Amino acid sequence: MATLRPDTGSATVDAILHAAHRVRQAADAELRTQGLSLSSYKVLRALDLEACSMRVLSEVLRVAPRTITDIVDGLEKRGLAERSAHPHDRRVTLIHITAEGKTQLRRARRAVGRQVTASIGGLTGSEQETLVALLERVDPRSGACAAPNVASATATAG
């Protein structure tokens, strides 16, 4: 069966969702060659910023707590992350990225970078700037597009 495209009733929203899906799928496929999934990559990126609890990871990544537990278990088995007691709250366990996790993350970032470059390689620099400016105006919370960013509009007009 062919890929099922979104059908929101808006060709514009469908195109945004379908493009995002294709980029995510390509990034995930590239990460799998590095031994990671897109989800585990996101967890390593978060842990590279700072050690945090499962609850915080769940909230930051907007993933169910059970899913975070499974991802961290997998990362820990591979030596990419480790658990430790919180220094001031014995009820909390912190998750840390290991040195091997940092090495794996560097490799994964390069792989994702190559895939992202390939994904947008068909767009000129000007087209990329225009696309970014347009997408930044999409705001589902307001019910209408956000006001244009004057600096972005000026940069893309020139």
Side-chain angles (χ1 to χ4, degrees):
M1 175 190 271
T3 302
L4 186 60
R5 293 180 67 106
D7 185 12
T8 64
S10 166
T12 303
V13 172
D14 292 349
I16 292 168
L17 293 173
H18 191 58
H21 178 75
R22 290 190 316 264
V23 172
R24 264 193 321 276
Q25 291 293 97
D28 188 58
E30 184 65 30
L31 284 165
R32 289 191 185 278
T33 69
Q34 304 291 315
L36 295 173
S37 66
L38 187 56
S39 298
S40 59
Y41 172 70
K42 289 178 182 179
V43 169
L44 287 176
R45 284 184 50 225
L47 294 175
D48 194 40
L49 296 173
E50 67 180 295
C52 53
S53 69
M54 297 280 211
R55 181 185 57 78
V56 169
L57 278 173
S58 175
E59 290 170 2
V60 167
L61 298 175
R62 296 181 181 158
V63 175
R66 179 72 203 144
T67 302
I68 289 294
T69 300
D70 290 343
I71 294 168
V72 169
D73 286 348
L75 292 172
E76 190 173 36
K77 280 181 189 171
R78 295 181 54 215
L80 304 178
E82 61 188 6
R83 291 174 167 94
S84 68
H86 189 285
H88 306 295
D89 188 344
R90 66 184 181 164
R91 298 167 298 172
V92 177
T93 299
L94 293 177
I95 315 304
H96 302 266
I97 190 171
T98 64
E100 179 58 30
K102 287 179 180 280
T103 299
Q104 183 73 16
L105 180 58
R106 276 192 303 276
R107 280 190 227 122
R109 280 186 166 137
R110 286 191 300 270
V112 168
R114 287 190 302 271
Q115 189 57 54
V116 167
T117 298
S119 294
I120 59 172
L123 301 175
T124 66
S126 176
E127 288 171 329
Q128 290 177 37
E129 290 174 9
T130 299
L131 182 58
V132 168
L134 291 170
L135 290 173
E136 285 179 349
R137 291 179 50 202
V138 175
D139 187 358
R141 295 169 300 199
S142 70
C145 283
N149 179 329
V150 175
S152 293
T154 303
T156 57

